[in-house]
Amino acid sequence: MTDVFRALADESRRALLDRLNHANGQTLRELCAGLDMTRQSVSKHLAVLEEAGLVTTVRRGREKLHYLNAAPISDIAERWISRYDRRRVEALADLKKALEGPSMSRPEFVYTTYIRTTPEQLWKGITDPAFTRQYWGLAFDTDWRPGSVMTWRLDRNDTVLADPEQVVLVAEPFTRLSYSWHSFTPEWAKAYDLDEGYLAEVAGEPRSKVTFELEPRGEHVRLTVTHDGFEEGSAVLPGLSEGWPELIASLKSLLETGKPLKTA
């Protein structure tokens, strides 16, 4: 948390966060454009922001894309906002809201957090029904091999989401996992009390995918979740951008304390 406050204290780094808030997923070249800073200075500031967890990066071929990361702001908000007068932290709350909003430039969601656990235990957390049912309310029926079909079994109304296009894309145990997202069916919509209009809207979108990357960092594991494959103006992305931070926080709580977060 000290690193986060130190990173936010610098005006140039706040300017970089503002630029990413305006257009997320930028390259170093794009971030340098129009700034009265050298490329080297921008790189150093980005390194500080990334070390503090305020920025996370994703490789796309030869490019390195930079994204705002809401996790540290969420941690600060949970620890401090409830203790002080709301007016004194209004700016911080606005920043938290901005960071948790969906990307306006590149249609994808990227989120990084650190969990005090092992890669093996975190892998179980995102694959084993004994864990996923506790914080997610569902289980995956698959052998977790690339190309294998995944059946999603929701605890809500014992709903089953079966589709041959729901498949495991990448499975490198304890390191990287990627799979295509589930189909939007009438049964799914009924389980979550969603109206037919929304179902028709999201069902017409291309299938997206989610990727989990696990990297050991001492007593912690750095978890980066990337959800992409959306078209501009996606109706699915805003809901996922809101739901993923809560879901990941509940997984983190489960692995660190033995209990998932209580949700409304």
Side-chain angles (χ1 to χ4, degrees), residues 1-2 4-5 52-54 69-83 92 96 99-100 111-115 220 245 248-250 252-253 256 261:
M1 194 167 290
T2 299
V4 175
F5 283 118
L54 289 163
N69 185 42
I73 299 299
S74 297
D75 291 342
I76 290 174
E78 291 173 4
R79 179 171 178 179
W80 297 101
I81 286 182
S82 61
R83 298 186 183 185
L92 180 60
K96 176 178 183 288
L99 294 185
E100 289 183 344
Y111 191 94
T112 297
T113 191
Y114 293 79
I115 302 177
H220 294 76
I248 298 166
S250 192
K252 175 181 170 71
S253 177
E256 292 185 344
L261 295 180

Side-chain angles (χ1 to χ4, degrees), residues 87-239:
R87 287 170 296 179
R88 298 181 183 179
V89 291
E90 203 168 57
L92 180 60
D94 289 343
L95 178 58
K96 176 178 183 288
K97 181 179 179 180
L99 294 185
E100 289 183 344
S103 165
M104 298 304 292
S105 61
R106 297 180 187 270
E108 60 184 16
F109 171 86
V110 181
Y111 191 94
T112 297
T113 191
Y114 293 79
I115 302 177
R116 186 185 294 274
T117 187
T118 64
E120 294 79 7
Q121 196 69 0
L122 180 51
W123 184 268
K124 287 184 179 179
I126 58 181
T127 61
D128 191 331
F131 290 89
T132 59
R133 286 195 184 280
Q134 292 188 63
Y135 70 91
W136 203 338
L138 57 77
F140 300 109
D141 186 359
T142 182
D143 60 11
W144 295 112
R145 295 179 180 178
S148 293
V149 173
M150 298 175 62
T151 297
W152 294 50
R153 300 186 181 279
L154 312 183
D155 291 344
R156 294 193 177 201
N157 301 340
D158 293 323
T159 303
V160 176
L161 305 179
D163 191 311
E165 293 188 9
Q166 298 171 179
V167 297
V168 179
L169 301 172
V170 178
E172 302 170 5
F174 322 132
T175 302
R176 193 164 185 264
L177 177 67
S178 180
Y179 51 82
S180 58
W181 202 239
H182 68 75
S183 300
F184 299 111
T185 66
E187 292 77 16
W188 165 80
K190 182 179 180 180
Y192 291 98
D193 297 322
L194 302 173
D195 62 53
E196 293 183 1
Y198 180 73
L199 172 61
E201 190 174 9
V202 299
E205 294 193 14
R207 189 179 300 275
S208 61
K209 73 176 187 298
V210 62
T211 302
F212 303 86
E213 295 177 278
L214 291 63
E215 181 183 349
R217 292 289 183 89
E219 295 181 349
H220 294 76
V221 179
R222 184 178 189 264
L223 173 65
T224 298
V225 179
T226 303
H227 202 137
D228 58 9
F230 303 100
E231 297 178 333
E232 291 290 345
S234 168
V236 178
L237 181 55

